[in-house]
C-alpha cells in the first residue's frame, strides 16, 4: 500500500510538470489524493494491527475482505476520473497547445 501511495504521489507530481495541465480537472486530482490518503491510512492501520490479527486468522481474512471492498470503490472512482480526463482534459491540453503555437507564430511574423 505504501508503494502504491508513493506511485500516486509521483504520478500527481508528473502531471503538475505538464505546463498545460493545471489540475483544471479537479475530479481527477481529488480522486487520486483521496485514494492516496486512504492507502496511507490503511497501511498505518495494518502495521498497527499486524501482530494482533495474525496472518491466518478469520479476523485477518475479514479485515482484508473489507479493505478490498473499500479499495475497489477508490479504484472505480479513479477509473471514472481518468476516463473523464482522457475525454475532456486531454482535449483541453491539446487546444491550449494549439493556441500557444498560433500565438508564437503570430509573434514570430511580427
Amino acid at each position: 500500500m505504501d508503494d502504491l501511495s508513493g506511485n500516486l504521489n509521483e504520478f500527481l507530481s508528473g502531471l503538475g510538470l505538464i505546463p498545460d495541465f493545471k489540475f483544471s480537472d479537479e475530479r481527477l486530482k481529488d480522486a487520486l489524493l483521496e485514494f492516496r490518503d486512504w492507502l496511507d491510512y490503511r497501511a498505518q492501520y495494518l502495521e498497527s494491527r499486524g501482530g494482533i490479527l495474525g496472518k491466518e486468522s478469520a479476523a485477518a481474512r475479514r479485515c482484508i475482505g473489507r479493505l478490498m471492498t473499500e479499495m475497489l470503490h477508490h479504484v472505480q472512482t479513479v477509473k471514472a476520473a481518468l476516463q473523464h480526463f482522457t475525454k475532456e482534459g486531454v482535449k483541453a491540453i491539446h487546444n491550449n497547445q494549439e493556441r500557444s503555437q498560433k500565438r508564437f507564430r503570430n509573434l514570430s511574423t511580427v
Side-chain angles (χ1 to χ4, degrees):
M1 285 186 165
D2 286 332
D3 288 344
L4 184 53
S5 176
N7 290 338
L8 285 174
N9 271 334
E10 191 173 327
F11 180 68
L12 281 166
S13 295
L15 286 177
L17 295 175
I18 300 171
D20 295 322
F21 186 85
K22 299 175 182 167
F23 287 122
S24 57
D25 187 355
E26 290 292 319
R27 181 177 172 181
L28 176 58
K29 177 185 170 188
D30 291 346
L32 290 170
L33 289 173
E34 184 178 327
F35 188 31
R36 183 205 60 196
D37 292 345
W38 179 85
L39 287 167
D40 289 339
Y41 172 76
R42 286 306 188 184
Q44 289 174 2
Y45 171 79
L46 288 174
E47 267 183 41
S48 71
R49 295 289 196 185
I52 298 170
L53 291 175
K55 291 183 180 181
E56 301 298 322
S57 70
R61 286 192 298 275
R62 283 192 305 272
C63 179
I64 290 169
R66 283 192 309 271
L67 290 176
M68 292 300 107
T69 301
E70 289 177 27
M71 184 180 282
L72 178 62
H73 166 73
H74 287 285
V75 168
Q76 289 172 334
T77 302
V78 169
K79 177 185 172 188
L82 281 169
Q83 286 174 332
H84 176 75
F85 174 73
T86 56
K87 280 186 197 173
E88 304 299 325
V90 172
K91 190 186 311 179
I93 289 172
H94 179 72
N95 290 340
N96 232 356
Q97 289 173 341
E98 281 185 354
R99 281 193 299 274
S100 294
Q101 286 176 352
K102 285 179 185 176
R103 278 189 232 122
F104 182 69
R105 277 192 297 257
N106 289 340
L107 287 174
S108 65
T109 58
V110 172

